[in-house]
Amino acid sequence: MSNSHNKKAICILSGGMDSTLASYMAKNDGYDIIAVHFNYGQRTEKKELESFRSICSDLQIKEKYEIDIPFFTQIGASALTDNTIDVPTDGVKPGVPITYVPFRNGIFLSITAAIAEKEEASAMYIGVVQEDSSGYPDCTDSFISDMKKAINQGTKESTNIDIITPLVHLSKAQIVTKALELNVPLEHTWSCYKEEDKACGVCDSCRLRLNGFKLANATDPIAYKDN
């Protein structure tokens, strides 16, 4: 258990590159980290959970929550949670893609706020990326700012939670560079929307990741299918 006088942060950790870097940055900022992972019926749920556990081990995080929220599959409307909708593989396009999960980050932040209040944490870290993401509306500065306001209005007066988004204005190439600087174990991270064995290399998330490595003049350590 953490000493009560140490400042605590709850890190939303999917097992992806962005949330992993954000968690490493939280540690560098001097926080005791409590990690939260969501199993929400996404296609790569098993692989993401495996990545989450590996990264918690890398960061020596002792306190973690693995939260199951199966209702996302009931809602559907996303290629990540509805297996009848194909994950697009023909390149990143403008607009909100079919891989957007309705209000996912709002729901994640709400649940994490409950954990933060219970744990008396002063911060929540989330690895949202506004400028180089797939156009998701729940990854913007203004959305996070409004959620922070709502969370602090809807919790005890003694609860004061900051939502920290250290990557929000970074490009994927800058994220790769920063991760390499901090010795983040990128080989344990997973970004693919489709596959759990070898990454597909053609979904939006794989394309953004691979392009980030390319622009950073670095090699991605995870295995990809030969497309």
Side-chain angles (χ1 to χ4, degrees):
M1 288 291 290
S2 305
N3 294 327
S4 57
H5 63 271
N6 287 353
K7 56 180 189 171
K8 289 186 199 173
I10 316 291
C11 292
I12 299 174
L13 181 52
S14 69
M17 192 162 65
D18 302 343
S19 65
T20 301
L21 174 58
S23 301
Y24 269 76
M25 291 170 85
K27 188 178 184 180
N28 276 9
D29 290 342
Y31 286 97
D32 281 346
I33 297 172
I34 297 165
V36 181
H37 179 80
F38 296 100
N39 300 308
Y40 58 96
Q42 68 273 40
R43 286 173 189 261
T44 55
E45 182 178 281
K46 195 175 152 201
K47 182 67 179 181
E48 286 181 33
L49 181 58
E50 181 190 301
S51 293
F52 167 75
R53 288 173 176 167
S54 295
I55 293 150
C56 283
S57 178
D58 295 328
L59 276 166
Q60 298 179 310
I61 294 171
K62 293 176 180 65
E63 210 170 335
K64 57 183 187 277
Y65 290 79
E66 295 173 2
I67 307 278
D68 295 322
I69 37 176
F71 63 77
F72 275 114
T73 57
Q74 207 175 336
I75 295 166
S78 167
L80 299 195
T81 55
D82 183 342
N83 288 330
T84 67
I85 304 172
D86 288 334
V87 172
T89 57
D90 54 354
V92 182
K93 294 184 168 60
V96 179
I98 195 65
T99 52
Y100 164 67
V101 179
F103 203 61
R104 180 181 64 180
N105 285 343
I107 292 163
F108 284 2
L109 286 165
S110 300
I111 294 169
T112 304
I115 295 168
E117 184 162 49
K118 175 208 160 184
E119 297 283 358
E120 298 182 339
S122 56
M124 292 164 25
Y125 276 71
I126 183 168
V128 292
V129 180
Q130 179 172 307
E131 300 186 359
D132 200 29
S133 72
S134 303
Y136 294 163
D138 56 353
C139 287
T140 64
D141 248 348
S142 54
F143 171 71
I144 298 293
S145 174
D146 287 344
M147 280 298 293
K148 177 181 165 179
K149 202 180 296 176
I151 283 165
N152 284 303
Q153 278 181 341
T155 48
K156 290 182 297 194
E157 207 174 309
S158 59
T159 301
N160 185 15
I161 301 165
D162 193 12
I163 303 178
I164 300 173
T165 55
L167 316 183
V168 72
H169 295 302
L170 299 185
S171 69
K172 267 290 191 278
Q174 288 171 318
I175 287 164
V176 170
T177 302
K178 184 75 179 167
L180 293 170
E181 270 172 31
L182 295 182
N183 292 316
V184 174
L186 293 173
E187 68 277 7
H188 291 160
T189 64
W190 196 255
S191 304
C192 185
Y193 286 152
K194 278 173 56 103
E195 306 292 341
E196 294 187 300
D197 179 23
K198 288 184 177 179
C200 75
V202 289
C203 70
D204 286 2
S205 189
C206 279
R207 286 177 189 272
L208 287 167
R209 177 178 172 130
L210 283 167
N211 193 48
F213 273 93
K214 186 181 170 188
L215 293 173
N217 293 315
T219 305
D220 192 344
I222 69 165
Y224 286 86
K225 285 185 164 184
D226 297 324
N227 292 301

